[in-house]
Amino acid sequence: MIAFVTRRLLLGLLTTWLISVLSFAIIQLPPGDFVDAYIAQLASSGSAVSAEEARSLRELYGLGQPFYVQYGKWIARVVVGDFGESMEWRRPVIEVIGDRIWLTLALSFAALIVTWTLALPIGIYSAVRQYSFADYIFTFFGFIGIAVPNFLLALVIMYFAFTMLGASVGGLFSAEMTLAPWGWEKAWDLIKHLPLPAVILALAGTAQLVRIMRANLLDELRKPYVVTARAKGLSEMRTVLKYPVRAALNPFASNLAYQFPQLISGGIIISIVLGLPTVGPLLVKSLVAKDMFLAGTIVLLLGVLTVIGTFISDLVLMWVEPRLRHQLD
Amino acid sequence: MATDADRYAVASQAQLIWWRFKRHRMAMISMVVLAVFYILALGADFLATSDPQATDSRTSYIAPQPIHLFDADGSFRPWVAGIKGVRDVKTFKLVYTVDSNRRVYIEFFGHGYKYSFLGLETDRHLMTLKDAQRGEGIYLFGTDLLGRDLWSRLAVATRVSLTIGLVGVTISLFLGVLLGGLSAVYGGVIDTIIQRAIEVIRSLPAIPLWLGLSAALPNDWSVTQVYFAITIIISLLTWTDLARVVRGKFLALREEDFILAAELAGASQLRIVFHHLLPSFTSHIIAAVSLALPAMIISETSLSFLGLGLRPPAISWGILLQDAQNVQTLALAPWLLLSAVPVVLVILAFNFLGDGLRDAADPYG
Amino acid sequence: MVEPILSVRGLRTQFVGPEGVVRAVDGVDFDVFEGRTLGVVGESGCGKSVTARSILRIVDRPGRVVGGSVMLRKADGSTVDLAGLTEEAMRDIRGPEIALVFQEPMASFSQHYTIGNQIMEGVRLHMGLDKHAARKRAIELLDMVGVPQPSRRIDEYPFQLSGGLRQRVMIAMALACDPRVLIADEPTTALDVTTQAQILDLLRQLQAERGLAIILITHDMGVIAEMAHDVSVMYLGRAVETGSVSDIFDRPQHPYTKALLRSIPTVMAKPRTRLPTIVGSIPHPFDRPAGCAFNPRCADMIAGVCDIAEPPPTNTGTRQVRCFLHGGRP
Ligand SMILES: Nc1ncnc2c1ncn2[C@@H]1O[C@H](COP(=O)(O)OP(=O)(O)OP(=O)(O)O)[C@@H](O)[C@H]1O
Ligand code: SF4
Ligand SMILES: [Mg+2]
């Protein structure tokens, strides 16, 4: 058990490190050194940078030195919470991102919950009543969920809401709440707005998980231990829920670990379509504007969130799988 | 019964798979649908009714126009409605609308814009208009803001989006078979490293990274350069599933008798891999590929949709959908959503096909 | 004459699939008596396990019991036909009246719960014990079947046990609600020779202590000779010959039984030899031969009779045979 957790932890750290290198590479990739870009940007908005200031900036970021030196300087500042300045906003990156990162997390988490609560019962039902009418219906919707990219779904829903209800369905807050300070009221407002984007975001993952659950449960239902349980005189419902479902939870849970990165990814796109105040639109905007510190930081933060999410899913997996727990005992 | 059994007894592996595959009706239909799409892609320019790049302010946002098959006298003579300019009484600007009184007749195999087909320069198209005035065209799916014909653009976009999937999958497949194979054949440290790498890559949030990497592509790159760069970026993160399939199959097949026999007969590792292992699970690879293709297509479409994939003047499904990003626009020109139909159809078809193939290749897996 | 505790007549179970119908059990008759063991033998795939499951009506989909009766004499002397019971009533039979021990102890346990959990479940359901009492009973049961350190083992998972221990636990689980009939489906096939002998000893001992009626399913004529009082020989879903072990081993009547016995000349000396091959192979279940199912492999086959009509069951004394050589000729 300890070995499993340690291994997962090390893997998570490795992933984090890789993500940080990639994030820094993204910051670095655009041609030319970014102090030049910064100066040009400032100049275009009317303020000038003295040669002295430029030199100290270059010094600070280690420009002109090898990649690993620059990376070292950058990461040393990142770990103490200094993510640099956004060129476009002329403010520290961390201020620009603000609570958007938490809203991103809230959205992904809500979608994860939706995924679980839908996929589990639907998957069980479809397997137990294989080839029933409802099974076909669920399978059909499953294929739609897999085949329709979620930004398209968001578009279509927006279109129908707009033309038929005359309502715009985007956003995570009502207009009067957007700028309000955080409090119970604002949180409640958020909770009221979350379900629609969460469901849209969750659909693809739900469809995938239903398929996985259904296939695994069908496999498990044929196993001898199910007959054993029936032979004990358990009711069919109890037999199915206690034994095969429990066994099928394992692949289900291990797949869940990979749902989280997908949800974070998908969240970016649907946030843009639905105009949600998450980091998604900010990331795209900053990339288009080549505001690289902002972009790199967002990629880094999303990556770290993913790693944490994956690690938590791994712990869940360990909890549902006694074999893992006992491997080293 | 007995004859059936006999047929099974002498059937080759490939035949068995084909028989099992034929039983999946949805998979068969999907195969036909995909074939149609790829033929459409191949003949995109021939099927286009007007130049997909030609802009014309007069034809901005024309709603889809049907082709009427019969003329007033009942004879078969397909025509479409023309357009007319009306001066707005308040602004004095010319506003163009569809003129249903004007009939413009369709000519088959007529001359249109120039394109090259398999290296051949030509300007023949399936349908063009005879004696058309400027701005008139066959607008089967309507036009966009810049007055470009959506049908023609969709035809060309299909070619781009479908081939980007193929190119991407080829790269993924190469990486997947190579690394999955290495992992299974050599085992030990190599296996551990590759497996960990796969786990790490699978837990990366793909879209932010793609976005970051593709945003970093220089602005002055040509359409083709961007196209290949995007494909490579997408493939780099999608080979892992294929590698897992390949490794799993390798390991399972290694245990089987004929491999053992080959090993005893002194065949070299590589020979075993290429002469015995790979052929025996091509079917699995094909199935895995047809399930990986839709993911590729969705990725490209999403990237381009966000403005960070292919860039105009390239035309792809994602780029077409970009025009439909905004609800106000959609309310004005809902036909722009037609670009979503082929995306959904193709992805669905690939999924059904992949499922059918997988079941046929491995009825017990 | 003693009344049987379980009496199976004309039991038929089918699997309907896209390729056709498999008649896995197609007319099985036998009786089981208190304190006695009925051996059921036959080659692989002849329907032994499906028979066992059909008695308890727990055949996997797409299988369905389509005919026959299963009369169970209850402790109070009344008799019920299990085939006619409701699903709820049937649940009270499974466990307290008839219990099963399975072929593969590893696969027949869930790996997600401790063995204690899996034993206590039935006890709590049928005997109405609370958690504490059920646990105590589970420990006693484990002790009874010879699991060492039962109070520690009870909290282990099946994958932590050896094969022999697992089968002991399986027996403990089957006996949890004091059933009167125990169906043991090849309880020793997956075990090594020494462990096999121990498990058979355990079954014999439990039978002596509790007067259990046992149905012992096996491939192995040796095990039959050693363990069973009566035997029923199955071929392609039918019981082709049924009678007492001594009788049948001395004077087998059905050609298939004869072949089975002939092909193991040293029954007593080599008790655990698998059934050696008999000429020809078992027909595919879709390809049931016309007439007597055994006719393509039968040395005594009567042309024009055996390949046209099916031999009906004929009784002589305590023996029942399905073969035209022994009556029933049209
Ligand atoms: N779930 C199922 N679906 C379809 N057919 C089945 C199923 N289970 C069993 N059968 C059929 O029933 C027949 C009898 O199977 P059964 O398991 O009873 O054999 P057996 O005598 O127990 O063999 P073994 O000695 O190998 O355990 C087999 O020929 C098989 O084709
Ligand atoms: S009925 Fe005929 S074929 Fe069948 S066992 Fe008897 S003699 Fe052989
Ligand atoms: Mg069996």
Side-chain angles (χ1 to χ4, degrees):
Chain A
M1 176 158 108
I2 295 164
F4 176 78
V5 176
T6 326
R7 219 178 53 130
R8 290 282 132 181
L9 209 57
L10 284 179
L11 213 60
L13 287 178
L14 185 66
T15 316
T16 314
W17 174 76
L18 190 73
I19 289 171
S20 74
V21 172
L22 284 171
S23 308
F24 187 65
I26 288 170
I27 294 176
Q28 285 277 298
L29 268 180
D33 90 33
F34 59 85
V35 172
D36 285 339
Y38 187 47
I39 294 170
Q41 181 112 22
L42 289 190
S44 70
S45 60
S47 46
V49 178
S50 69
E52 186 61 24
E53 275 175 311
R55 218 173 45 81
S56 71
L57 271 176
R58 288 213 165 79
E59 180 71 21
L60 179 65
Y61 293 118
L63 293 185
Q65 287 173 290
F67 180 86
Y68 66 90
V69 176
Q70 295 189 34
Y71 170 77
K73 290 195 169 194
W74 175 75
I75 200 80
R77 272 177 288 114
V78 162
V79 289
V80 297
D82 173 8
F83 293 92
E85 290 263 328
S86 156
M87 292 178 210
E88 223 196 338
W89 301 70
R90 311 273 296 279
R91 293 216 324 259
V93 159
I94 207 71
E95 271 179 37
V96 176
I97 295 176
D99 53 12
R100 278 171 179 261
I101 193 77
W102 303 117
L103 291 174
T104 308
L105 192 63
L107 176 66
S108 311
F109 194 67
L112 197 66
I113 292 179
V114 172
T115 308
W116 262 97
T117 44
L118 288 182
L120 198 60
I122 294 180
I124 294 173
Y125 186 88
S126 290
V128 174
R129 298 262 177 278
Q130 194 189 6
Y131 303 137
S132 67
F133 180 69
D135 180 29
Y136 281 118
I137 296 288
F138 287 135
T139 308
F140 175 76
F141 276 106
F143 272 113
I144 298 291
I146 288 168
V148 181
N150 44 26
F151 72 87
L152 254 183
L153 189 71
L155 262 183
V156 172
I157 289 180
M158 291 261 286
Y159 172 71
F160 283 114
F162 188 79
T163 52
M164 291 160 80
L165 309 173
S168 135
V169 293
L172 281 180
F173 299 104
S174 342
E176 66 275 13
M177 277 295 165
T178 313
L179 290 176
W182 274 104
W184 286 118
E185 238 176 301
K186 186 166 181 174
W188 178 239
D189 195 46
L190 174 65
I191 291 172
K192 278 193 298 191
H193 280 77
L194 262 182
L196 180 75
V199 167
I200 295 177
L201 182 54
L203 201 77
T206 308
Q208 259 177 29
L209 281 181
V210 167
R211 260 168 98 167
I212 292 173
M213 186 69 200
R214 182 177 180 273
N216 283 315
L217 191 52
L218 282 175
D219 267 2
E220 295 296 333
L221 282 170
R222 280 193 281 269
K223 300 243 169 104
Y225 67 81
V226 184
V227 185
T228 312
R230 290 200 188 110
K232 275 190 256 186
L234 301 188
S235 70
E236 189 59 23
M237 175 92 158
R238 184 148 166 211
T239 303
V240 170
L241 289 186
K242 179 168 177 185
Y243 292 102
V245 166
R246 176 63 196 267
L249 270 185
N250 177 16
F252 187 77
S254 64
N255 207 273
L256 202 68
Y258 294 113
Q259 288 294 315
F260 204 71
Q262 287 178 22
L263 288 177
I264 294 260
S265 280
I268 290 178
I269 299 190
I270 76 150
S271 292
I272 289 165
V273 177
L274 293 174
L276 309 181
T278 66
V279 292
L282 201 59
L283 174 63
V284 173
K285 233 185 285 170
S286 62
L287 284 170
V288 172
K290 302 254 165 341
D291 188 351
M292 294 325 267
F293 272 109
L294 183 52
T297 305
I298 293 177
V299 172
L300 180 68
L301 290 181
L302 288 180
V304 171
L305 276 188
T306 311
V307 171
I308 296 172
T310 310
F311 183 67
I312 293 174
S313 316
D314 280 337
L315 294 184
V316 172
L317 173 63
M318 200 180 67
W319 174 68
V320 300
E321 183 51 39
R323 250 192 251 226
L324 274 180
R325 257 183 283 149
H326 282 270
Q327 236 155 30
L328 263 200
D329 297 358
Chain B
M1 273 287 146
T3 57
D4 245 17
D6 290 348
R7 275 201 321 150
Y8 272 93
V10 297
S12 71
Q13 184 66 13
Q15 269 171 316
L16 277 177
I17 291 175
W18 174 239
W19 284 340
R20 284 195 296 254
F21 178 73
K22 274 200 300 195
R23 286 214 304 253
H24 284 259
R25 187 153 341 128
M26 283 313 283
M28 287 294 286
I29 296 174
S30 299
M31 201 165 69
V32 175
V33 169
L34 287 174
V36 169
F37 266 102
Y38 274 95
I39 291 169
L40 183 78
L42 195 68
D45 282 306
F46 176 68
L47 293 169
T49 52
S50 44
D51 185 346
Q53 303 287 11
T55 61
D56 188 339
S57 62
R58 276 174 298 210
T59 57
S60 176
Y61 288 148
I62 291 184
Q65 296 298 313
I67 295 178
H68 304 267
L69 291 182
F70 299 99
D71 209 357
D73 57 4
S75 63
F76 180 76
R77 199 171 172 213
W79 57 274
V80 293
I83 57 171
K84 65 176 177 215
V86 182
R87 202 163 293 276
D88 191 89
V89 277
K90 289 197 198 107
T91 60
F92 293 103
K93 262 170 65 183
L94 261 182
V95 180
Y96 287 84
T97 53
V98 174
D99 179 2
S100 35
N101 291 324
R102 190 179 139 71
R103 297 184 170 193
V104 191
Y105 294 99
I106 288 175
E107 183 179 19
F108 289 98
F109 305 109
H111 298 273
Y113 69 94
K114 276 200 169 44
Y115 63 96
S116 91
F117 179 77
L118 305 174
L120 241 65
E121 286 283 330
T122 172
D123 61 355
R124 294 278 174 188
H125 294 268
L126 178 64
M127 290 186 294
T128 49
L129 286 185
K130 227 182 314 192
D131 308 324
Q133 293 173 1
R134 286 195 59 192
E136 285 173 340
I138 306 170
Y139 301 125
L140 265 181
F141 286 3
T143 62
D144 64 4
L145 172 69
L146 299 180
R148 296 170 296 197
D149 173 40
L150 195 59
W151 161 261
S152 308
R153 286 173 71 73
L154 209 48
V156 176
T158 301
R159 179 169 64 205
V160 174
S161 291
L162 286 183
T163 49
I164 215 167
L166 284 185
V167 176
V169 132
T170 312
I171 302 173
S172 294
L173 184 63
F174 174 75
L175 287 172
V177 171
L178 184 72
L179 294 170
L182 279 180
S183 200
V185 171
Y186 290 104
V189 186
I190 294 183
D191 185 32
T192 314
I193 293 175
I194 294 177
Q195 288 312 303
R196 292 304 148 265
I198 288 178
E199 278 180 53
V200 168
I201 290 179
R202 283 196 14 126
S203 58
L204 292 176
I207 288 187
L209 285 176
W210 281 336
L211 288 177
L213 292 174
S214 53
L217 298 180
N219 278 329
D220 51 1
W221 276 17
S222 72
V223 169
T224 326
Q225 276 173 314
V226 174
Y227 176 102
F228 279 107
I230 295 285
T231 347
I232 290 172
I233 289 172
I234 294 176
S235 321
L236 280 182
L237 293 182
T238 44
W239 57 271
T240 53
D241 281 341
L242 283 167
R244 282 153 56 100
V245 172
V246 171
R247 175 174 176 273
K249 287 296 153 202
F250 262 120
L251 289 181
L253 284 171
R254 258 172 85 95
E255 307 302 321
E256 285 188 11
D257 291 348
F258 70 102
I259 304 296
L260 211 67
E263 249 167 35
L264 290 179
S268 79
Q269 289 271 12
L270 277 185
R271 205 187 139 73
I272 292 176
V273 170
F274 285 103
H275 284 259
H276 300 279
L277 282 176
L278 269 184
S280 70
F281 63 87
T282 3
S283 51
H284 294 275
I285 292 188
I286 294 172
V289 161
S290 67
L291 289 174
L293 264 167
M296 290 273 171
I297 293 173
I298 292 188
S299 308
E300 181 276 325
T301 308
S302 308
L303 280 184
S304 306
F305 176 75
L306 293 177
L308 288 163
L310 301 180
R311 303 163 189 164
I315 308 175
S316 77
W317 288 339
I319 287 177
L320 293 185
L321 282 168
Q322 215 183 343
D323 292 338
Q325 223 180 61
N326 168 320
V327 183
Q328 273 80 14
T329 317
L330 272 185
L332 201 63
W335 56 88
L336 290 180
L337 265 185
L338 279 174
S339 320
V341 175
V343 182
V344 174
L345 275 182
V346 164
I347 295 171
L348 259 184
F350 269 123
N351 271 297
F352 282 128
L353 179 72
D355 269 9
L357 282 172
R358 195 177 43 195
D359 285 358
D362 193 0
Y364 310 108
Chain C
M1 212 192 122
V2 203
E3 287 282 304
I5 187 165
L6 188 73
S7 171
V8 176
R9 288 291 173 270
L11 190 63
R12 295 196 300 126
T13 302
Q14 301 182 342
F15 290 88
V16 182
E19 293 91 358
V21 177
V22 178
R23 299 206 170 83
V25 176
D26 199 23
V28 165
D29 313 316
F30 56 64
D31 293 324
V32 196
F33 298 89
E34 212 167 315
R36 284 171 78 91
T37 300
L38 169 76
V40 176
V41 265
E43 284 161 298
S44 194
C46 70
K48 304 183 297 290
S49 299
V50 175
T51 303
R53 289 173 190 200
S54 303
I55 290 173
L56 280 178
R57 296 190 8 212
I58 49 172
V59 190
D60 274 335
R61 273 193 314 203
R64 230 158 52 82
V65 180
V66 292
S69 69
V70 180
M71 305 301 292
L72 174 75
R73 188 163 52 82
K74 292 219 175 157
D76 59 14
S78 64
T79 329
V80 285
D81 182 1
L82 300 188
L85 285 185
T86 63
E87 179 55 31
E88 273 85 55
M90 197 59 215
R91 263 184 241 141
D92 293 331
I93 302 290
R94 301 177 191 138
E97 296 286 349
I98 307 177
L100 262 171
V101 171
F102 292 92
Q103 207 161 346
E104 306 153 71
M106 185 66 174
S108 300
F109 274 113
S110 162
Q111 306 302 317
H112 289 92
Y113 299 94
T114 59
I115 55 171
N117 180 314
Q118 296 182 56
I119 296 175
M120 281 150 63
E121 183 180 37
V123 175
R124 295 186 61 186
L125 181 72
H126 295 294
M127 305 178 97
L129 297 185
D130 65 14
K131 204 167 181 168
H132 185 74
R135 188 177 165 90
K136 209 167 133 247
R137 170 146 179 93
I139 294 177
E140 283 165 18
L141 285 163
L142 289 177
D143 193 41
M144 177 185 78
V145 297
V147 173
Q149 291 176 289
S151 49
R152 200 170 62 82
R153 290 287 181 168
I154 190 171
D155 292 319
E156 293 191 346
Y157 288 88
F159 53 83
Q160 292 171 293
L161 306 177
S162 70
L165 271 190
R166 236 178 266 142
Q167 197 56 292
R168 282 175 192 269
V169 175
M170 174 65 77
I171 292 172
M173 189 160 86
L175 295 180
C177 301
D178 279 326
R180 295 179 314 130
V181 182
L182 182 72
I183 307 178
D185 186 356
E186 306 194 32
T188 57
T189 311
L191 305 175
D192 65 76
V193 181
T194 348
T195 328
Q196 275 185 17
Q198 288 168 358
I199 294 290
L200 292 179
D201 279 344
L202 174 66
L203 283 178
R204 233 188 330 242
Q205 174 206 333
L206 289 169
Q207 181 169 50
E209 284 167 9
R210 307 163 154 244
L212 268 178
I214 297 182
I215 300 179
L216 181 68
I217 294 173
T218 178
H219 286 111
D220 191 333
M221 274 297 194
V223 171
I224 296 290
E226 200 179 319
M227 291 285 297
H229 304 96
D230 306 299
V231 63
S232 182
V233 180
M234 284 187 66
Y235 188 76
L236 270 189
R238 302 238 162 112
V240 290
E241 181 160 17
T242 308
S244 78
V245 167
S246 53
D247 207 16
I248 287 188
F249 272 56
D250 284 350
R251 283 177 297 105
Q253 291 185 342
H254 196 284
Y256 179 59
T257 317
K258 284 185 194 156
L260 281 182
L261 287 170
R262 221 183 3 254
S263 56
I264 33 169
T266 49
V267 178
M268 295 316 204
K270 284 173 70 190
R272 269 160 295 272
T273 324
R274 283 246 171 161
L275 283 185
T277 45
I278 298 172
V279 205
S281 56
I282 315 170
H284 193 268
F286 295 138
D287 250 355
R288 172 185 283 278
C292 170
F294 190 56
N295 86 67
R297 300 166 77 188
C298 180
D300 308 320
M301 187 262 216
I302 313 163
V305 177
C306 299
D307 49 358
I308 289 169
E310 292 194 39
T314 14
N315 291 306
T316 38
T318 58
R319 178 96 60 111
Q320 187 191 64
V321 189
R322 279 168 176 265
C323 170
F324 287 125
L325 293 178
H326 304 278
R329 275 185 75 157

